[in-house]
């Protein structure tokens, strides 16, 4: 039964039939119908479960014929929807003389309407970026509707000294290293102070703001070290990053609610006044990267601060701001004068208060306004609701479709030490960024199953993409809780555009890509995963909380998902080690704990329940949170404090009394040493550390993993009568044995199944006493389902190679079909990596390996194993296609394809493009992404079939 027909049938349940849900047999019938629904969608996923793409409308140089062509192209590749994303035209690219269509002009709106109509014909879903580029902004914004930032400029001086300093020099010093400065920005000196170095009391600070005359301030200093502190406000300090015509003006002031609503309503009013309601033709409005470059101000910021925090921050503001650079990240912790430790503690508390106030205002004035605007237009909200100074968890609460992001970088699939992993950019070796677990946790806490991810974002290894690498990064995204990938991205690029086409970013999703004919294999794989997971509930019974408050106080809020600092650096290894050892967790926060209830050993928030909480070096909390932690432990829950107990309160106002309250509650908690436990972090090997905690404290995993491995992780999902597990191997090179034993309550009265997301088939598993053993090959994954179904085909995996296997040491006749149209033929007596052969090091395309095999007894030869292959391998026997491998083990079931006597064997290997692109020295675009000296030069990639090839 397909999803639509099922939903139609379920809507006609009468009140009487709903009452029958209490009847056991009726409930079982509904459950079986639901399972059949999942089965159908898994086998043949409908469009809404298929991956989407971010569709860059490069420079808005769009026209109908090309829009229609690209939609059809995406449909044929297995894509289910597009995120329409107008963006600037890529530099150094020939625009073929095609004019830009101004965003929100009548012509642009008409083209949008055409696109929506064409997409509807193809059963493709459309999302729409609420703007152009990122973050939101436009030319029509005025005055304080534009983003504002307050920054500190510090100039250190040595007395005795008599001099004068121009405001121009101070403004120049204050001007942050913004990626995208707005030329119309205006600077205003808010305060000017002389500060001794070191500073021991604020009584020593001398305000000289009123001494400024004609743009100059005269200064006379006695003997000693001093600094001039300038507090500078910059109005309209940045323009939209990569905005296109009509939307490339100053960035919106996201803290100004009136401006936010004006901006959003301008979009819908302009579009809908011309073509009518966008709903239901638009599924969601989208918020892309909130790269606000440290924006921190609006006209009533200090008024709101005093109202919320209880004191006036303004005199201390110059001393809580750090020197900032690109994206607003702190670039120099030693920029200011030295301050005594007690004053530093005070300023840290005030800095936390400022960050908290900003985050509250941002959520109230932007996030909720955006969500309400979407709802008013009957369109869903979809957002990357994080950035610098936003709540990493609660920011996603208000969004219908919360979104994270998953990147392709060198290191994904490779062996990465924990030490290297904790260095910037904090997710080396992982596709999923550290924000994904926050985003998915927020969704779980709010009962949302549709969790999207900007996926396979690629700026480092463009043209080196392989389907196997896509799978590793995508599976890591799934493990972090994502259920809906949105590939980043598909460039609007006319068919006649010069090779390789228009490219705003990497992620070369294009019909000119060597792997494009096989791309639908990967889209089908992800679609089947999504069809399953979006209809189930993510399981977690452990909660973790990071020291966000401490970080905000010590270093200021960071730019997520690429913070310049993580507190503590190993934070992500905690949740990973929990999953690597057969448990699962969600992030929580003080707000979540404050709104939770506690009973019989459980912390409950909505439908989420947790029996254990890990505090990751949380040193400061509010007294209210400390009390709630006590309530949890008294109710039978357990808390592990890693490295430190909470010992102080957050914020400055009345902090002495709050510190006393926190310590009183922590003292009471310490009276339960068996449930309020201080533990140390390991020096290394977090997976073994957590396994030891499991054993010592009796944390029962739902699946016991005998030999935890950094590359092996898992997640668990549930429906009313079904248990779903996904295991993945994120190594690009290693095969790893998985020995997993499921807990008795999972397997009782249920049958184990392997659901193959690559083929859509499902197979019955013979699992004795809940123990499942399998070899996970590189980039491999397995979906294990436990349900009440009993009948089905047994799983027959391809067996391992044995000493009796027949190694094919034959002469290979090889044809090289280059993507540039040339063809070469060679004969090889030994297989090797083509990149090591001078004649083929820069090859890209399809290599066909051919040989004639003499067979005496074909009944005894069932399998062919190609060994190591760098690329997508397609096997033909006697002209018949046997199959395709694009990750993991390159082995095939031959069935009855061999015959007695001569057999024609063909193995087609499709390579990545990079090596060829590196050789195109006259192609500016190819060189920018492959060899540009301003970027890290990409290495040559291995190519072709290396073997050994075995018949068995």
């Amino acid at each position: 039964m397909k999803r639509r027909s099922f939903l139609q049938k379920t809507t006609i349940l009468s009140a009487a039939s709903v009452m029958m849900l209490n009847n056991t047999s009726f409930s079982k019938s509904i459950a079986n119908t639901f399972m059949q629904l999942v089965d159908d969608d898994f086998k043949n996923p409908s469009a809404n479960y298929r991956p989407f793409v971010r569709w860059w409308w490069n420079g808005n140089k769009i026209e109908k014929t090309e829009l229609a062509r690209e939609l059809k192209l995406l449909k044929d590749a297995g894509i289910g929807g597009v995120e329409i994303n107008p963006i600037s035209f890529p530099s150094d690219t020939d625009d073929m003389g095609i004019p830009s269509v101004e965003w929100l002009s009548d012509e642009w709106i008409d083209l949008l309407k055409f696109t929506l109509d064409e997409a509807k014909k193809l059963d493709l879903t459309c999302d729409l970026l609420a703007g152009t580029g990122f973050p939101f902004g436009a030319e029509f914004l005025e005055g304080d509707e534009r983003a504002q930032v307050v920054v500190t400029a510090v100039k250190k001086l040595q007395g005795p000294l008599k001099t004068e300093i121009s405001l121009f020099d101070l403004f120049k010093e204050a001007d942050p290293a913004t990626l995208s400065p707005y030329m119309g920005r205006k600077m205003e000196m808010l305060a000017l102070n002389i500060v001794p170095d070191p500073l021991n009391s604020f009584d020593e600070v001398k305000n000289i703001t009123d001494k400024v005359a004609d743009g100059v301030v005269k200064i006379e200093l006695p003997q000693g070290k001093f600094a001039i502190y300038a507090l500078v406000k910059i109005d309209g300090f940045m323009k939209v990053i990569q905005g296109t015509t009509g939307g490339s003006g100053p960035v919106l002031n996201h803290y100004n609610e009136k401006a936010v609503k004006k901006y959003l309503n301008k979009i819908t009013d302009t579009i809908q006044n011309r073509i009518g309601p966008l709903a239901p033709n638009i599924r969601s409005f989208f918020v892309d990267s909130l790269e606000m470059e440290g924006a921190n101000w609006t006209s009533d910021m200090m008024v709101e601060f005093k109202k919320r925090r209880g004191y006036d921050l303004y005199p201390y503001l110059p001393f809580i701001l750090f020197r900032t650079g690109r994206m607003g990240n702190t670039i120099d912790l030693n920029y200011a004068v030295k301050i005594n430790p007690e004053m530093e503690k005070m300023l840290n508390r005030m800095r936390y208060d400022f960050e908290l106030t900003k985050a509250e205002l941002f959520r109230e004035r932007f996030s909720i306004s955006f969500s309400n605007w979407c709802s008013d237009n009957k369109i869903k909200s979809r957002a990357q609701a994080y950035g610098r100074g936003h709540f990493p968890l609660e920011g996603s609460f208000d969004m219908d479709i919360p979104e994270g992001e998953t990147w392709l970088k060198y290191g994904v699939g490779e062996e990465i030490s924990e030490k290297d992993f904790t260095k910037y950019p904090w997710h080396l070796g992982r596709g999923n960024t550290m924000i994904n677990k926050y985003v998915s946790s927020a969704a779980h806490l709010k009962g949302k199953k549709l969790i999207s991810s900007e996926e396979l974002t690629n700026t480092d290894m463009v043209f080196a993409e392989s389907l196997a690498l896509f799978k590793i990064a995508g599976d890591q995204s799934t493990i972090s809780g994502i259920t809906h990938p949105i590939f980043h991205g598909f460039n609007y690029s006319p068919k006649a555009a010069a090779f390789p086409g228009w490219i705003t970013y990497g992620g070369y999703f294009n019909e000119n890509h060597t792997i494009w004919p096989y791309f639908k294999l990967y889209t089908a794989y992800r679609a089947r995963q999504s069809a399953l997971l979006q209809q189930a509930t993510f399981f977690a019974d452990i909660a973790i909380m990071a020291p966000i408050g401490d970080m905000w106080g010590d270093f200021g809020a960071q730019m997520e998902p690429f913070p310049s600092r993580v507190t503590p650096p190993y934070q992500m290894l905690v949740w990973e080690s929990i999953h690597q050892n057969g448990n699962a967790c969600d992030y929580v926060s003080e707000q979540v704990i404050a709104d939770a209830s506690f009973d019989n050993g459980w912390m409950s928030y909505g439908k989420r329940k947790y029996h254990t909480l890990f505090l990751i070096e949380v040193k400061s909390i509010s007294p209210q949170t400390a009390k709630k932690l006590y309530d949890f432990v008294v109710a039978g829950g357990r808390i592990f404090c890693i490295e430190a107990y909470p010992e102080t309160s957050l914020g400055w106002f009345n902090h002495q009394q709050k510190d006393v309250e926190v310590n009183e509650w922590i003292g009471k908690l310490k009276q339960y040493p068996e449930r309020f436990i201080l533990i140390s972090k390991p020096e290394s090997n977090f997976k073994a550390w957590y396994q030891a905690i499991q054993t010592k404290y009796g944390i029962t995993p739902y699946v016991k993993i005998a030999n935890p491995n950094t590359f092996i992780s898992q997640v668990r999902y549930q429906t009313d009568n079904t248990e779903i597990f996904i295991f993945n191997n994120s190594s690009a090179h290693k095969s790893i044995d998985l020995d997993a034993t499921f807990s008795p309550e999972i397997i009782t009265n249920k049958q184990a199944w392997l659901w193959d997301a690559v083929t859509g088939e499902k197979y019955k598993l013979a699992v004795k006493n809940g123990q499942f053993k399998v070899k996970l090959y590189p980039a491999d994954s397995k979906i294990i389902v436990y349900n009440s179904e009993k009948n089905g085909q047994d799983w027959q995996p391809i067996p391992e190679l044995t000493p009796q296997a027949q190694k094919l040491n034959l002469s290979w006749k090889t044809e090289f079909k280059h993507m540039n149209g040339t063809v070469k033929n060679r004969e090889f007596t030994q297989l090797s990596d083509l990149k090591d052969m001078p004649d083929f090091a820069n090859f890209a395309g399809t290599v066909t390996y051919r040989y004639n095999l003499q067979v005496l007894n074909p009944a005894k030869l069932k399998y062919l194993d190609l060994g190591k292959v760098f690329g997508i391998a397609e096997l033909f026997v006697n002209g018949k296609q046997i199959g395709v491998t694009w990750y993991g083990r390159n082995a095939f079931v031959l069935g009855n394809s061999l015959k007695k006597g001569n057999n024609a064997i063909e193995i087609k290997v499709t390579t990545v493009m990079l090596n060829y692109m590196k050789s195109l020295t006259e192609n500016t675009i190819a060189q920018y992404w492959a060899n540009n000296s301003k970027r890290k030069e990409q290495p040559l990639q291995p190519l072709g079939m290396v073997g050994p090839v075995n018949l068995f």
Side-chain angles (χ1 to χ4, degrees), residues 204-238:
E204 301 173 338
V205 176
K206 181 181 179 182
N207 189 298
I208 58 170
T209 310
D210 60 352
K211 305 297 183 183
V212 177
D214 299 323
V216 173
V217 60
K218 295 181 178 180
I219 297 170
E220 188 169 352
L221 298 174
Q223 181 73 34
K225 294 181 178 180
F226 298 88
I228 302 298
Y229 269 61
L231 187 67
V232 178
K233 178 165 75 82
I234 311 175
D235 291 331
F237 75 103
M238 70 174 294

Coordinates of all heavy atoms in Angstrom, one line a residue, residues 204-238:
E204 N 40.1 52.8 38.2 CA 41.3 53.3 37.5 C 41.0 53.7 36.0 O 41.8 54.3 35.4 CB 42.4 52.2 37.5 CG 42.8 51.8 38.9 CD 43.8 50.6 38.9 OE1 43.8 49.9 37.9 OE2 44.5 50.5 39.9
V205 N 39.8 53.3 35.5 CA 39.4 53.6 34.2 C 39.0 55.1 34.0 O 38.1 55.5 34.8 CB 38.3 52.7 33.7 CG1 37.8 53.1 32.3 CG2 38.7 51.2 33.8
K206 N 39.6 55.8 33.1 CA 39.3 57.2 32.9 C 38.6 57.4 31.6 O 39.1 57.1 30.5 CB 40.6 58.0 33.0 CG 40.4 59.5 32.8 CD 41.7 60.3 32.8 CE 41.5 61.8 32.6 NZ 42.8 62.5 32.6
N207 N 37.4 57.9 31.7 CA 36.6 58.1 30.4 C 37.0 59.5 29.8 O 36.9 60.5 30.5 CB 35.1 58.1 30.8 CG 34.2 58.2 29.5 OD1 34.3 59.1 28.7 ND2 33.4 57.1 29.4
I208 N 37.3 59.4 28.5 CA 37.8 60.6 27.8 C 36.9 60.9 26.6 O 37.3 61.6 25.7 CB 39.3 60.6 27.5 CG1 39.6 59.4 26.6 CG2 40.1 60.6 28.7 CD1 41.0 59.4 26.0
T209 N 35.7 60.3 26.6 CA 34.9 60.5 25.4 C 34.6 61.9 25.1 O 34.6 62.3 23.9 CB 33.5 59.7 25.6 OG1 33.8 58.4 26.1 CG2 32.7 59.6 24.3
D210 N 34.4 62.7 26.2 CA 34.1 64.1 25.9 C 35.3 65.0 25.5 O 35.2 66.2 25.3 CB 33.4 64.7 27.2 CG 34.3 64.7 28.4 OD1 35.4 64.0 28.3 OD2 34.0 65.2 29.5
K211 N 36.5 64.3 25.5 CA 37.7 65.1 25.1 C 37.9 65.1 23.6 O 38.9 65.7 23.1 CB 38.9 64.4 25.8 CG 38.8 64.3 27.3 CD 38.7 65.7 28.0 CE 38.7 65.6 29.5 NZ 38.6 66.9 30.1
V212 N 37.1 64.4 22.9 CA 37.2 64.3 21.4 C 36.8 65.7 20.8 O 35.7 66.2 21.1 CB 36.4 63.2 20.8 CG1 36.5 63.2 19.3 CG2 36.8 61.8 21.4
A213 N 37.6 66.2 19.9 CA 37.3 67.4 19.3 C 37.9 67.4 17.8 O 39.0 67.0 17.6 CB 38.0 68.6 20.0
D214 N 37.0 67.6 16.9 CA 37.3 67.6 15.5 C 38.0 66.3 15.0 O 39.0 66.3 14.3 CB 38.3 68.8 15.2 CG 37.7 70.2 15.4 OD1 36.5 70.3 15.2 OD2 38.4 71.0 15.9
G215 N 37.4 65.2 15.6 CA 37.9 63.9 15.2 C 39.2 63.5 15.8 O 39.8 62.5 15.3
V216 N 39.7 64.2 16.8 CA 41.0 63.9 17.4 C 40.8 64.0 18.9 O 40.1 64.8 19.4 CB 42.0 64.9 16.9 CG1 43.4 64.7 17.7 CG2 42.3 64.8 15.4
V217 N 41.5 63.1 19.6 CA 41.6 63.2 21.1 C 43.0 63.4 21.5 O 43.9 62.7 21.1 CB 41.0 61.9 21.7 CG1 41.7 60.7 21.3 CG2 40.9 62.1 23.3
K218 N 43.3 64.4 22.4 CA 44.6 64.6 22.9 C 44.8 63.8 24.2 O 43.9 63.8 25.1 CB 44.8 66.1 23.1 CG 44.8 66.9 21.9 CD 45.0 68.4 22.1 CE 45.0 69.2 20.8 NZ 45.2 70.6 21.1
I219 N 46.0 63.2 24.3 CA 46.2 62.3 25.4 C 47.5 62.7 26.1 O 48.5 62.9 25.4 CB 46.3 60.8 25.0 CG1 44.9 60.4 24.4 CG2 46.7 59.9 26.1 CD1 44.9 59.1 23.7
E220 N 47.5 62.7 27.4 CA 48.7 62.9 28.2 C 48.8 61.8 29.3 O 47.9 61.7 30.1 CB 48.8 64.3 28.8 CG 50.1 64.6 29.5 CD 50.2 66.1 29.8 OE1 49.3 66.9 29.5 OE2 51.2 66.5 30.5
L221 N 49.9 61.0 29.2 CA 50.0 59.9 30.1 C 51.2 60.0 31.0 O 52.3 60.5 30.5 CB 50.1 58.6 29.3 CG 49.0 58.2 28.4 CD1 49.3 57.0 27.5 CD2 47.7 58.0 29.2
P222 N 51.1 59.6 32.2 CA 52.3 59.5 33.1 C 53.1 58.3 32.8 O 52.8 57.6 31.9 CB 51.7 59.5 34.5 CG 50.4 58.7 34.3 CD 49.9 59.2 32.9
Q223 N 54.1 58.1 33.7 CA 55.0 56.9 33.5 C 54.1 55.6 33.7 O 53.2 55.6 34.5 CB 56.1 56.9 34.6 CG 57.0 55.7 34.5 CD 58.0 55.8 33.3 OE1 58.4 56.9 33.0 NE2 58.3 54.7 32.8
G224 N 54.4 54.6 32.8 CA 53.7 53.3 33.0 C 53.1 52.9 31.7 O 53.2 53.5 30.6
K225 N 52.4 51.7 31.7 CA 51.8 51.1 30.6 C 50.3 51.4 30.6 O 49.6 51.3 31.7 CB 52.0 49.6 30.6 CG 53.4 49.2 30.3 CD 53.6 47.7 30.3 CE 55.0 47.2 30.0 NZ 55.1 45.8 30.0
F226 N 49.8 51.8 29.5 CA 48.3 52.1 29.4 C 47.8 51.6 28.0 O 48.5 51.1 27.2 CB 48.1 53.6 29.4 CG 48.6 54.3 30.7 CD1 49.9 54.7 30.9 CD2 47.7 54.4 31.7 CE1 50.3 55.2 32.1 CE2 48.1 55.0 32.9 CZ 49.4 55.4 33.1
A227 N 46.5 51.7 27.9 CA 45.8 51.4 26.6 C 44.6 52.3 26.4 O 44.0 52.7 27.4 CB 45.4 49.9 26.6
I228 N 44.4 52.7 25.2 CA 43.2 53.4 24.8 C 42.2 52.3 24.4 O 42.4 51.5 23.5 CB 43.5 54.3 23.7 CG1 44.6 55.3 24.0 CG2 42.2 55.0 23.3 CD1 44.2 56.2 25.2
Y229 N 41.0 52.4 25.1 CA 39.9 51.5 24.8 C 38.8 52.3 24.0 O 38.3 53.2 24.6 CB 39.3 50.9 26.0 CG 39.9 49.6 26.5 CD1 41.2 49.5 26.8 CD2 39.0 48.5 26.6 CE1 41.7 48.3 27.3 CE2 39.5 47.2 27.0 CZ 40.9 47.2 27.4 OH 41.4 46.0 27.8
A230 N 38.6 51.9 22.8 CA 37.5 52.6 22.0 C 36.3 51.6 21.8 O 36.6 50.5 21.3 CB 38.0 53.1 20.7
L231 N 35.2 52.0 22.2 CA 34.0 51.2 22.0 C 33.3 51.8 20.8 O 32.8 52.9 20.8 CB 33.1 51.2 23.2 CG 31.8 50.3 23.2 CD1 32.3 48.8 23.2 CD2 30.9 50.6 24.3
V232 N 33.2 51.0 19.7 CA 32.7 51.5 18.4 C 31.5 50.7 18.0 O 31.5 49.5 18.0 CB 33.9 51.4 17.4 CG1 33.4 51.9 16.0 CG2 35.1 52.2 17.8
K233 N 30.5 51.4 17.5 CA 29.3 50.8 16.9 C 29.4 51.0 15.4 O 29.7 52.1 14.9 CB 28.0 51.4 17.5 CG 26.8 50.8 16.8 CD 25.5 51.2 17.6 CE 25.1 52.6 17.5 NZ 24.3 52.8 16.2
I234 N 29.2 49.9 14.7 CA 29.2 50.0 13.2 C 27.8 49.6 12.7 O 27.3 48.4 12.9 CB 30.2 49.0 12.6 CG1 31.6 49.2 13.3 CG2 30.4 49.2 11.1 CD1 32.6 48.2 12.9
D235 N 27.1 50.5 12.1 CA 25.8 50.3 11.5 C 26.0 49.8 10.1 O 26.8 50.3 9.3 CB 25.0 51.6 11.5 CG 24.6 52.0 12.9 OD1 24.4 51.2 13.8 OD2 24.5 53.3 13.1
G236 N 25.2 48.7 9.7 CA 25.3 48.2 8.4 C 26.7 47.7 8.1 O 27.2 47.9 7.0
F237 N 27.2 46.9 9.0 CA 28.7 46.6 8.9 C 29.0 45.5 7.9 O 30.1 45.4 7.4 CB 29.3 46.2 10.2 CG 28.9 44.8 10.7 CD1 29.8 43.8 10.7 CD2 27.6 44.6 11.3 CE1 29.5 42.5 11.1 CE2 27.3 43.3 11.7 CZ 28.2 42.3 11.6
M238 N 28.0 44.7 7.5 CA 28.2 43.7 6.5 C 27.1 43.6 5.5 O 26.0 43.9 5.7 CB 28.4 42.3 7.2 CG 27.2 41.7 7.8 SD 27.4 40.1 8.5 CE 27.8 39.1 7.0

